[in-house]
Amino acid sequence: MKAVMALTGLVMIGFLLMHMYGNLKAFLGAEAFDHYAHWLKTDILYPLVPQGSFIWLFRAFLLLCIVAHMYAAAVLTGRAHAARSSKYVTTDRIQQTYSARTMRWGGVLIAGFLVFHLLQFTVQVVTPGFTPGISAYQMVVLSFQQWWLVLAYAIWIVAVCMHVRHGVWSALTTLGAHTSPGARRFLDGLAWVIAVLLFVGFMIMPVAVLLGWIS
Ligand code: HEM
């Protein structure tokens, strides 16, 4: 179960890095952003696979990873609770980072906002600030011209990055990379770099829209 969590978690971090890179294309203008969004949905891997089919294969794979990740988390949580010798709560904590302690509830929060995110940008049934069916660029710009949405996304991305910070470390440890104190320091550094990169990479575009640098 730990290996399932590690592997699916790393796949999702790979997705996040790609998604972040795609979002940054907003800095290149409407045409570049919309062209990229269109390419992802229709032309990617064409003619190797029929036009428009890769995105569905990818979505199915990503969904499978999310479900497996959450299922493994639930099973491991159940086992951890069952393994407790006493039902009484102890206030003595082993040394743990804040990210490590918030993995379970952080995961629930991330999944909850992800549903909102998909209803907003993919299904387009929750459309604060824009009308459904406009271009991807217009949709994103009109959304993030609203400060409260930028704030909501900032809170979500902080939760995602905290989860990723501990997740990278934990996944690579599960997979056997934590072999020495030096390796531990490396994993720690790597986890921080990825988390900070994701935070800056995801938030810079909504903030730029809010400040009017992208319009
Ligand atoms: C500021 C941060 C983010 C922005 C501006 C953003 C923007 C978008 C947009 C515009 C789309 C729709 C693309 C389209 O259909 O043309 C999308 C889809 C998606 N986003 Fe995000 N996103 C952000 C962060 C995230 C994060 C943190 C996650 C995961 C935890 C995520 C997961 C997804 C998923 C799963 C999809 C659906 C992809 C698909 O249609 O197959 N996004 N995002």
Side-chain angles (χ1 to χ4, degrees):
M1 284 297 158
K2 287 287 283 180
V4 169
M5 292 218 75
L7 291 173
T8 52
L10 290 178
V11 166
M12 288 190 279
I13 290 170
F15 164 75
L16 283 179
L17 288 167
M18 273 166 33
H19 189 7
M20 180 200 85
Y21 163 78
N23 287 359
L24 291 175
K25 288 200 181 267
F27 284 97
L28 300 179
E31 209 179 312
F33 191 76
D34 289 339
H35 180 267
Y36 180 72
H38 182 260
W39 175 76
L40 278 180
K41 282 200 190 134
T42 53
D43 293 339
I44 186 166
L45 285 194
Y46 173 77
L48 231 56
V49 295
Q51 228 170 5
S53 60
F54 177 80
I55 184 80
W56 286 105
L57 294 174
F58 183 74
R59 282 172 174 165
F61 176 62
L62 201 60
L63 185 64
L64 188 73
C65 287
I66 295 175
V67 171
H69 196 77
M70 291 176 79
Y71 173 75
V75 170
L76 287 168
T77 302
R79 284 188 198 162
H81 285 161
R84 281 170 72 131
S85 55
S86 154
K87 292 245 177 285
Y88 289 101
V89 176
T90 167
T91 49
D92 295 341
R93 285 206 173 275
I94 53 167
Q95 202 192 356
Q96 255 186 334
T97 62
Y98 189 71
S99 296
R101 259 187 278 143
T102 48
M103 285 308 269
R104 285 172 195 156
W105 286 110
V108 173
L109 172 77
I110 292 165
F113 198 88
L114 179 60
V115 173
F116 170 80
H117 182 58
L118 295 179
L119 290 177
Q120 185 191 7
F121 285 148
T122 303
V123 191
Q124 297 179 22
V125 290
V126 182
T127 54
F130 68 92
T131 38
I134 56 175
S135 77
Y137 183 84
Q138 286 176 319
M139 178 173 75
V140 167
V141 169
L142 288 172
S143 294
F144 292 123
Q145 281 173 348
Q146 303 165 100
W147 68 266
W148 60 270
L149 202 59
V150 176
L151 180 66
Y153 267 77
I155 295 169
W156 183 44
I157 302 295
V158 166
V160 169
C161 292
M162 281 170 57
H163 201 80
V164 164
R165 215 281 305 149
H166 182 73
V168 167
W169 186 87
S170 182
L172 295 177
T173 299
T174 298
L175 298 176
H178 186 173
T179 49
S180 65
R184 184 199 164 95
R185 276 193 299 280
F186 175 76
L187 295 185
D188 241 347
L190 182 68
W192 271 104
V193 167
I194 294 177
V196 171
L197 177 73
L198 282 175
F199 182 78
V200 176
F202 268 126
M203 284 315 298
I204 194 166
M205 187 267 275
V207 170
V209 171
L210 189 65
L211 297 178
W213 299 341
I214 295 181
S215 58

